[in-house]
Amino acid sequence: MTILVYIKTIKQFYGLYTDQNRTMPKSITRTYSRYTRDATALLGGLIRAARKERKLTAQELADRAGISRGLLQRIEKGDLKCEIGAVFEVATIVGIKLFDADENTLPKYLSQTRDKLTLLPKSVRHKSRVVFDDF
Amino acid sequence: MTILVYIKTIKQFYGLYTDQNRTMPKSITRTYSRYTRDATALLGGLIRAARKERKLTAQELADRAGISRGLLQRIEKGDLKCEIGAVFEVATIVGIKLFDADENTLPKYLSQTRDKLTLLPKSVRHKSRVVFDDF
DNA sequence: TTTTTATGGTCTATATATAGATCATTTTAT
DNA sequence: ATAAAATGATCTATATATAGACCATAAAAA
């Protein structure tokens, strides 16, 4: 007697597994405002322009940032699903100022914001609205 | 004869599979500059402050942005691995201006940047340095 | 004080972003 | 014109971010 188990890929097994035992969760499609899309596209465009002005190839900049060329392409295109850390790092390398702040003023803004937060209430609490539904 | 197959979790099987058949790829740990880390932390702090000023709970803001409360927590903490789209969307909702631009000026900056890009060379090409290694 | 609720953290399964390879095309230098 | 190289795009496996549930604690209201 022979038992033949043939699973080509993990994905295949994974798919069988999930389909059999769990309901496939709804794929979450995010919506973004125009402002968000424009801002991300602008940042990507600024990065691309700065890269060319500095005569860096995509591969060179990607290497410096420690990311793949493909990811850099997506960043420059304004892809909304890239890690913010990767995007900001690339921007930093080509010399784009975030929040109009240089390396000296940025920490100051940061501590100012932290100070401000200590003054604000720790948690936001809504006044409990009295409901008159009993009548 | 009995063949007993016991796999507790997919992860367990997955681990066995990869260890046996493939070399485990190096887990890529990114490095980020201080400027990048400060900028992300600042944005998170600004979001948190703006949220409290607007008397929104974390859950309320997360719902409006279409994200989970857990993700909002990471964003406010300045986690570098969040999607830039999610971060910018939350910032937009609480009224934080990106690039000091409002909803009218942002598209203008965007088209200006695109115009600039058409003027720049399509691809960056390094002058081929003649190598004298032959001697 | 008591009660209610917001926050902060953990854990798991799923969805998805990323690296890396590959190929076609475009662009620049020679 | 030709060659070399940069770019744009696609594909796959892996790594990892996210949603959602849960719990403990903190904080604000009653």
Side-chain angles (χ1 to χ4, degrees):
Chain A
M1 186 190 173
T2 305
I3 299 182
L4 183 65
V5 178
Y6 179 65
I7 299 176
K8 201 157 52 172
T9 62
I10 277 292
K11 220 173 215 174
Q12 182 184 347
F13 174 71
Y14 197 73
L16 290 171
Y17 173 86
T18 50
D19 285 343
Q20 279 176 359
N21 299 305
R22 312 250 175 181
T23 60
M24 210 63 162
K26 47 175 180 269
S27 174
I28 293 157
T29 312
R30 285 197 218 292
T31 61
Y32 304 95
S33 65
R34 166 151 296 280
Y35 189 85
T36 291
R37 285 183 277 122
D38 281 354
T40 312
L42 174 58
L43 184 50
L46 290 174
I47 288 171
R48 167 165 280 226
R51 173 174 70 81
K52 302 212 162 177
E53 282 169 350
R54 290 168 179 249
K55 310 260 186 237
L56 288 170
T57 66
Q59 189 64 63
E60 286 169 342
L61 179 52
D63 288 344
R64 286 204 202 180
I67 64 175
S68 65
R69 188 167 66 91
L71 177 53
L72 178 60
Q73 269 187 37
R74 290 175 49 222
I75 290 173
E76 292 188 346
K77 221 194 283 179
D79 192 311
L80 294 153
K81 326 212 78 162
C82 306
E83 290 178 10
I84 191 169
V87 181
F88 278 13
E89 187 67 18
V90 170
T92 300
I93 291 174
V94 296
I96 292 173
K97 287 215 199 326
L98 277 355
F99 303 100
D100 276 326
D102 60 30
E103 58 278 7
N104 296 318
T105 51
L106 197 50
K108 286 206 284 185
Y109 290 152
L110 183 53
S111 58
Q112 283 171 13
T113 304
R114 283 178 173 152
D115 290 345
K116 187 178 182 180
L117 274 170
T118 61
L119 301 178
L120 287 166
K122 313 300 172 194
S123 71
V124 176
R125 190 71 170 275
H126 297 296
K127 322 240 175 207
S128 68
R129 313 191 206 159
V130 180
V131 183
F132 292 102
D133 289 348
D134 312 352
F135 299 94
Chain B
M1 187 186 170
T2 305
I3 300 181
L4 183 65
V5 178
Y6 180 65
I7 299 176
K8 201 159 49 174
T9 62
I10 278 291
K11 221 174 216 174
Q12 182 185 347
F13 176 71
Y14 195 73
L16 290 171
Y17 173 86
T18 51
D19 286 342
Q20 279 177 358
N21 299 307
R22 313 245 176 187
T23 59
M24 208 64 163
K26 48 177 179 267
S27 174
I28 294 156
T29 311
R30 285 198 218 291
T31 61
Y32 303 95
S33 65
R34 167 150 294 280
Y35 190 84
T36 291
R37 285 183 275 122
D38 281 354
T40 313
L42 174 59
L43 184 50
L46 290 173
I47 288 172
R48 166 166 280 229
R51 172 173 70 80
K52 302 213 161 177
E53 282 170 351
R54 288 166 181 253
K55 310 259 187 240
L56 289 169
T57 67
Q59 188 64 61
E60 286 169 342
L61 179 52
D63 288 344
R64 287 205 201 180
I67 65 175
S68 65
R69 189 168 64 91
L71 178 53
L72 178 60
Q73 270 188 34
R74 291 174 49 220
I75 290 173
E76 292 188 345
K77 221 195 283 181
D79 192 311
L80 294 153
K81 325 213 79 162
C82 306
E83 289 179 11
I84 192 169
V87 181
F88 278 13
E89 187 66 17
V90 170
T92 300
I93 291 173
V94 296
I96 292 173
K97 287 214 200 327
L98 276 356
F99 303 101
D100 277 325
D102 60 31
E103 58 277 9
N104 297 317
T105 51
L106 197 50
K108 287 206 285 187
Y109 289 153
L110 184 53
S111 58
Q112 283 172 13
T113 304
R114 282 176 173 154
D115 291 346
K116 187 178 182 180
L117 274 169
T118 60
L119 302 178
L120 287 166
K122 313 299 172 194
S123 71
V124 176
R125 191 71 171 275
H126 298 297
K127 323 240 176 207
S128 67
R129 313 191 203 161
V130 180
V131 184
F132 292 103
D133 290 347
D134 312 351
F135 300 94

